Amino acid sequence: MLVSHMAKHEPDLSRLFHALADPTRRTIVTRLAEGPAPVTELAKPTGLRLPTVMRHLSVLEEAGLIATSKDGRVRSCAIVPEALAPVRTWLDEQREIWEARLDRMDDYVMKLMEERAK
Amino acid sequence: MLVSHMAKHEPDLSRLFHALADPTRRTIVTRLAEGPAPVTELAKPTGLRLPTVMRHLSVLEEAGLIATSKDGRVRSCAIVPEALAPVRTWLDEQREIWEARLDRMDDYVMKLMEERAK
DNA sequence: AGAAAACTTAGCCAACTGGCGAAGTTTCCC
DNA sequence: GGGAAACTTCGCCAGTTGGCTAAGTTTTCT
């Protein structure tokens, strides 16, 4: 894998979480998971104006969650499914830390019980 | 299952994602995954002032990610590990939608190939 | 009692957000 | 050529955020 490709899409968790923190943007992501769509089609169900939706789309794009390309006067938006990986990884890391702690607590309790059994 | 528990069927993903969108708050969550800690101990590594950290903590608490309790003059903060479940669920849902789409595309391609083989 | 510790509240501020309407720009169709 | 479609850019606005300092409050220590 080329470094130049990695530099562009840092696993910027803050950007990712921020992008996902808006219900409109999550709706768009869910819609795009079903397949690509032009901006106007994404805007319709939201009831928001185009400039507003454009803003949401650029937040999603800057977070690396979607990719867009223009064909004629239509901009097609598509999801970038692997973009969610860093989020999943972070969640897994938290769970690992938590479980490691539970294990240590288990050990501690076991030791206490052994002491007591003497 | 009690209705009161189901009533908020839509867990507050916006609050959760927003809470996790700040690096300071993620650092606090990670620290708390290792075990409970008082406010001052959480503040130390951040280099931020206490009121600022308090604000971060209340954002985390309102998102349900941490729980706090006061013992004497010390407020102890602890993680609520199951609070991350809705985030994980949402990610899983997105993946499901995406994979269902891939399956449909597979079917489509298979059909095309069959047509061609005629 | 008096000081120190550990919050807690209040208020200030600059920057960011999410919405809007108005006015472009580029393509497409007749 | 001219109008409609589909963005795109601009600038406005109210509300939120994340940082701070200053000034409480409650407990604990001596």
Side-chain angles (χ1 to χ4, degrees):
Chain A
M1 192 191 284
L2 294 176
V3 174
S4 59
H5 289 163
M6 295 172 56
K8 291 214 171 185
H9 299 294
E10 306 169 45
D12 197 336
L13 282 172
S14 295
R15 252 181 232 281
L16 279 172
F17 278 125
H18 170 70
L20 297 174
D22 183 278
T24 300
R25 289 196 289 264
R26 284 197 306 279
T27 301
I28 291 175
V29 166
T30 301
R31 163 64 190 81
L32 289 181
E34 314 233 18
V39 177
T40 306
E41 188 186 319
L42 293 174
K44 218 175 299 174
T46 67
L48 298 173
R49 299 296 184 171
L50 230 54
T52 307
V53 174
M54 288 290 291
R55 190 87 203 89
H56 282 307
L57 290 175
S58 71
V59 169
L60 287 171
E61 191 166 17
E62 274 167 34
L65 284 165
I66 70 171
T68 75
S69 62
K70 207 158 180 185
D71 180 21
R73 60 184 161 169
V74 177
R75 174 168 301 277
S76 181
C77 307
I79 203 163
V80 179
E82 65 269 29
L84 286 176
V87 176
R88 192 171 283 281
T89 300
W90 188 84
L91 289 181
D92 289 344
E93 283 167 6
Q94 299 312 304
R95 185 149 71 177
E96 252 175 60
I97 297 171
W98 168 254
E99 281 172 1
R101 183 196 159 197
L102 285 192
D103 288 350
R104 286 199 306 279
M105 281 175 65
D106 262 9
D107 288 356
Y108 177 69
V109 171
M110 290 302 283
K111 226 165 232 169
L112 274 191
M113 289 176 68
E114 279 171 25
E115 281 302 307
R116 204 141 195 208
K118 276 183 183 172
Chain B
M1 196 188 288
L2 292 177
V3 174
S4 59
H5 289 161
M6 295 170 54
K8 192 64 183 169
H9 188 279
E10 252 178 287
D12 210 337
L13 282 172
S14 295
R15 254 181 232 279
L16 279 172
F17 279 123
H18 170 70
L20 296 174
D22 183 278
T24 300
R25 289 196 289 263
R26 285 198 306 278
T27 302
I28 290 175
V29 166
T30 301
R31 162 63 190 80
L32 288 180
E34 314 232 17
V39 178
T40 306
E41 188 185 319
L42 293 173
K44 218 174 301 173
T46 67
L48 298 173
R49 300 295 184 170
L50 228 55
T52 307
V53 174
M54 290 288 292
R55 192 87 203 90
H56 283 307
L57 290 175
S58 70
V59 169
L60 287 170
E61 191 166 17
E62 273 166 35
L65 284 166
I66 70 171
T68 75
S69 62
K70 208 159 181 186
D71 181 21
R73 61 182 162 171
V74 177
R75 175 168 299 276
S76 181
C77 307
I79 204 165
V80 179
E82 64 270 29
L84 286 176
V87 176
R88 197 173 280 280
T89 300
W90 188 83
L91 289 181
D92 289 344
E93 283 167 5
Q94 298 312 303
R95 184 149 71 178
E96 251 175 63
I97 298 171
W98 169 255
E99 281 172 2
R101 183 197 158 197
L102 285 193
D103 288 351
R104 285 197 307 277
M105 282 175 65
D106 261 10
D107 287 356
Y108 178 68
V109 171
M110 290 301 283
K111 227 164 233 171
L112 274 191
M113 290 176 68
E114 280 172 24
E115 281 302 307
R116 205 142 195 207
K118 278 183 184 172

